[in-house]
Amino acid sequence: MNTTVTISLVVLVILVIAFIGAGMWFKRLATTSDDFLLAGRKAPFWLLATAYLGGYVGGASVSGYVGNGYNSGISEMWASLFVVTGSVIFILLFSRRLNYFGRKTNAVTISDFICARYGEKLRVPSAIVSLTRPAILTGMQFLAISVSMKVVFGTSTEFGVVVSSVIILLYLITAGQYSALITQWFQSILQAAGIILFALVAFKVIGDPNAVSVAFYDVLPKSFTNFWAIDTSTFTVYALTLGLFYLADPWMYMWAYVGESPRVSSNGMLAVLGGSYYNVLPFLSGMAILVGVTIGKFSMPDGLAGDSLYAWFTINFSNTAVGVLILTGLMMTIISCGSSFAMNGVTILTRDIYQKIINKNATDKQVLFASRISLIVVVAIGIASALWLPILVPLWALAQAIGLSGLFATTMSAWFWKRSTTAGALAATIGGGVVALCWAMYAWATTGSPGGLVFGLHAVHVGVAVSIPLMVIVSLATKPDYEMAKATNYKVLGDEMQASKLIAEEDKPQRKGIFGWLCANTTGWKVFWVVIAVIFLGHYVLSLGFANQGLGITMVWMSFIVGGLMIFMLAILGGRDIIQMAKDSKAAGDKLKTK
């Protein structure tokens, strides 16, 4: 074990202990189930923003994307582009209304929203379908840590999965969502630093960023710099599972509920759109490594999996200090994302299964206890999923495929189609989810992977093609309940939110226009949002035009500059909210002592 690995291990142990200690400190804030599951619906602006980014950038975004960049080039970045596109559309359309809906009805999960529209008959099927994603993706983070540990420490896959699951379990079981928010803030800073440093090391081994960027076009096959060099089947799989899915994502619904107001719920997540460049750098790093291999600077070990490239390259090509930061950042990236998905699974099990089915008259103390038991269950399911399918990106796509197939038609109809019925929703949720799962099993038997294509079709193609017609046909054949439709109707919720006294006036748009919707009432905020918009739109222009060498080089520099600046923003502004939360925690502790 070399010096970099040894120091990294020591630092990780210290950080894990610190995270568990932080959970114990903030445990006094988690006195109710709402506190444990949703941080009391009081997440402040910048803490929500940084924690969301910490969950948004996960194990697949680093380990998986570096391998994708190395094996296929920039066209694989459609995966991350669809993710950010789907997320932004969700934030703009739904996050504010959902935050209000949660305050109005005490909703905790996506099933609460669905059942408000279609009745409790949808509780079990929607809960089962929605649980697949956080449970499987929690396992995916365990697997990502295990892959890194296997390369760095030489441990087995099974050992790495168990160790990573124990780490996440220990620091979440104390304060729940409060623990997740606090640690994800710190982890988002480490992961950002780690991603940037890894990219710098990958580029420096070959030359300066400009020289490496030019080498992309001179050394690599043309398809590697062509963003459009992607086959139709893969494109549509990414569009559905990594784009459209986010409009019906249980995890996004949870984040919408957590913010301290509808404005914070939307604006907080929009404020870190520059973080999309953290998903660009891993692809560029993989391509830079391929340049080095192609020109003979170094060689790759035979049989090294793409998912392992990040850790292997760090150990062999970075100095001790930088290597420790990169490896620590990688682990923090994965732990951060894993904790966020685990808490999403906990909300579903606790609310939809325990509170709504097993014990409908549970006291808040019983629900809080059940939340901690649910965490153990989610971690156990995550372990099983990680060992069941030890491949990062296909595991991600499978989870999204089942979720989209079972939830998209149902949730979109709840928002926009008054004529939809409970029978139609049941048919779409059960039919879509089951068909997607069955096709995935067929693909597994046929191709060796549940994310494989059979006859050019992925599980998501078949699942969505079944669920949408089922919703339409069955709804038209059964009697609608137009009164119930008002509970989740998009326009009705928007009008209610604007008039509601549950929402402070400063959190409501006071005038028309983009700045009015953003509640940007000062010059500083207007400038901030203009900069965010330019950076975000630049991501699309530079990605789509990457085949042009000038745009490609600009993309490289934009990724480094924006990523670097965001580290300071995350640290300073998110830290300010952490300090305030620590003061609140101390006050809560002092209050308990006086009783």
Side-chain angles (χ1 to χ4, degrees):
M1 190 179 291
N2 65 26
T3 305
T4 298
V5 172
T6 302
I7 297 176
S8 297
L9 181 60
V10 172
V11 172
L12 284 170
V13 170
I14 293 172
L15 287 174
V16 169
I17 294 173
F19 290 154
I20 295 172
M24 295 298 295
W25 171 264
F26 287 101
K27 182 180 179 181
R28 66 191 81 187
L29 289 177
T31 58
T32 69
S33 58
D34 216 34
D35 291 335
F36 188 89
L37 297 174
L38 297 175
R41 304 179 196 270
K42 295 181 291 189
F45 188 101
W46 286 109
L47 180 56
L48 175 75
T50 54
Y52 168 73
L53 182 62
Y56 168 78
V57 181
S61 303
V62 178
S63 299
Y65 286 171
V66 170
N68 286 353
Y70 179 87
N71 291 318
S72 303
I74 202 68
S75 65
E76 281 294 317
M77 209 173 74
W78 276 107
S80 66
L81 197 66
F82 277 127
V83 168
V84 72
T85 302
S87 300
V88 169
I89 293 173
F90 173 90
I91 294 166
L92 294 174
L93 288 180
F94 302 129
S95 59
R96 290 190 180 185
R97 284 169 169 80
L98 281 172
N99 187 276
Y100 165 70
F101 177 81
R103 294 177 186 283
K104 173 188 172 184
T105 65
N106 292 318
V108 174
T109 65
I110 191 173
S111 294
D112 283 331
F113 178 81
I114 291 171
C115 291
R117 171 64 178 87
Y118 298 113
E120 288 298 317
K121 289 182 180 180
L122 267 293
R123 180 70 64 178
V124 173
S126 63
I128 292 173
V129 172
S130 61
L131 182 62
T132 56
R133 184 188 187 244
I136 290 178
L137 263 64
T138 299
M140 191 176 83
Q141 306 313 310
F142 296 163
L143 179 60
I145 293 177
S146 176
V147 168
S148 300
M149 289 180 64
K150 189 173 183 178
V151 175
V152 177
F153 306 122
T155 56
S156 67
T157 299
E158 293 78 8
F159 179 79
V161 167
V162 172
V163 168
S164 59
S165 64
V166 170
I167 291 172
I168 289 177
L169 176 66
L170 286 177
Y171 83 76
L172 283 182
I173 204 165
T174 51
Q177 196 67 256
Y178 278 114
S179 291
L181 288 172
I182 304 304
T183 54
Q184 280 171 225
W185 163 74
F186 182 67
Q187 289 161 351
S188 68
I189 298 169
L190 280 179
Q191 75 183 23
I195 290 170
I196 292 173
L197 285 173
F198 179 81
L200 287 172
V201 170
F203 276 68
K204 187 178 179 181
V205 169
I206 316 303
D208 63 81
N210 272 337
V212 177
S213 300
V214 170
F216 288 162
Y217 300 89
D218 294 341
V219 175
L220 301 182
K222 287 188 179 298
S223 62
F224 273 67
T225 55
N226 182 2
F227 197 71
W228 301 92
I230 184 171
D231 65 84
T232 303
S233 293
T234 303
F235 180 87
T236 55
V237 169
Y238 285 168
L240 293 172
T241 61
L242 306 180
L244 195 65
F245 171 80
Y246 283 90
L247 302 186
D249 180 8
W251 183 71
M252 294 295 289
Y253 272 66
M254 180 191 75
W255 277 104
Y257 294 143
V258 165
E260 66 180 2
S261 71
R263 177 184 61 83
V264 167
S265 176
S266 62
N267 292 14
M269 290 188 277
L270 290 174
V272 289
L273 285 179
S276 60
Y277 286 92
Y278 292 131
N279 279 339
V280 175
L281 284 171
F283 287 102
L284 298 177
S285 300
M287 292 169 65
I289 293 171
L290 180 59
V291 169
V293 172
T294 303
I295 64 177
K297 282 275 188 178
F298 51 85
S299 60
M300 296 281 289
D302 292 335
L304 182 70
D307 296 339
S308 304
L309 183 56
Y310 189 97
W312 173 83
F313 192 83
T314 298
I315 294 172
N316 288 278
F317 292 94
S318 60
N319 61 44
T320 299
V322 172
V324 168
L325 283 172
I326 294 174
L327 291 177
T328 304
L330 172 62
M331 293 300 181
M332 292 305 98
T333 298
I334 303 167
I335 291 173
S336 172
C337 196
S339 65
S340 184
F341 287 124
M343 283 308 303
N344 185 210
V346 170
T347 63
I348 294 168
L349 278 180
T350 303
R351 176 70 166 183
D352 297 329
I353 305 301
Y354 177 76
Q355 197 174 9
K356 290 295 184 178
I357 297 173
I358 296 175
N359 189 356
K360 295 181 180 180
N361 298 313
T363 64
D364 199 65
K365 186 176 181 180
Q366 288 174 318
V367 176
L368 185 59
F369 178 75
S371 300
R372 293 189 166 97
I373 298 299
S374 296
L375 176 61
I376 296 173
V377 174
V378 170
V379 167
I381 297 173
I383 292 173
S385 68
L387 298 178
W388 169 56
L389 182 64
I391 313 173
L392 289 177
V393 176
L395 191 63
W396 182 13
L398 172 63
Q400 314 268 102
I402 296 173
L404 180 67
S405 299
L407 297 174
F408 179 75
T410 300
T411 53
M412 291 303 102
S413 296
W415 280 111
F416 300 112
W417 192 30
K418 295 180 181 179
R419 181 64 180 78
S420 61
T421 66
T422 299
L426 273 171
T429 301
I430 297 173
V434 169
V435 167
L437 178 60
C438 290
W439 191 270
M441 296 302 98
Y442 177 55
W444 195 4
T446 305
T447 69
S449 169
L453 302 179
V454 180
F455 307 120
L457 298 175
H458 187 274
V460 71
H461 294 131
V462 182
V464 171
V466 168
S467 62
I468 294 177
L470 279 176
M471 169 60 83
V472 175
I473 294 169
V474 176
S475 290
L476 292 177
T478 52
K479 185 178 179 180
D481 186 336
Y482 290 110
E483 191 61 34
M484 193 175 238
K486 295 178 182 178
T488 60
N489 179 263
Y490 188 82
K491 184 177 185 306
V492 171
L493 279 177
D495 293 341
E496 281 185 8
M497 178 177 64
Q498 191 63 22
S500 176
K501 295 187 182 297
L502 290 173
I503 311 301
E505 290 302 312
E506 61 266 25
D507 286 320
K508 300 176 183 178
Q510 300 298 319
R511 62 184 188 276
K512 295 181 179 180
I514 296 175
F515 291 131
W517 186 85
L518 289 166
C519 301
N521 299 318
T522 65
T523 301
W525 274 113
K526 290 177 181 178
V527 171
F528 172 81
W529 288 117
V530 168
V531 171
I532 291 294
V534 170
I535 290 173
F536 180 63
L537 293 175
H539 182 187
Y540 285 84
V541 173
L542 297 175
S543 297
L544 299 175
F546 195 87
N548 178 280
Q549 185 171 311
L551 292 178
I553 293 173
T554 303
M555 169 69 97
V556 171
W557 282 107
M558 277 284 286
S559 300
F560 280 118
I561 293 170
V562 173
L565 291 175
M566 283 199 66
I567 292 177
F568 294 100
M569 184 178 79
L570 297 173
I572 296 171
L573 299 176
R576 185 181 62 186
D577 283 348
I578 293 286
I579 292 171
Q580 183 57 51
M581 192 171 283
K583 291 179 180 177
D584 293 341
S585 178
K586 185 177 185 303
D590 294 340
K591 187 176 180 180
L592 288 174
K593 290 177 183 178
T594 59
K595 289 185 177 180

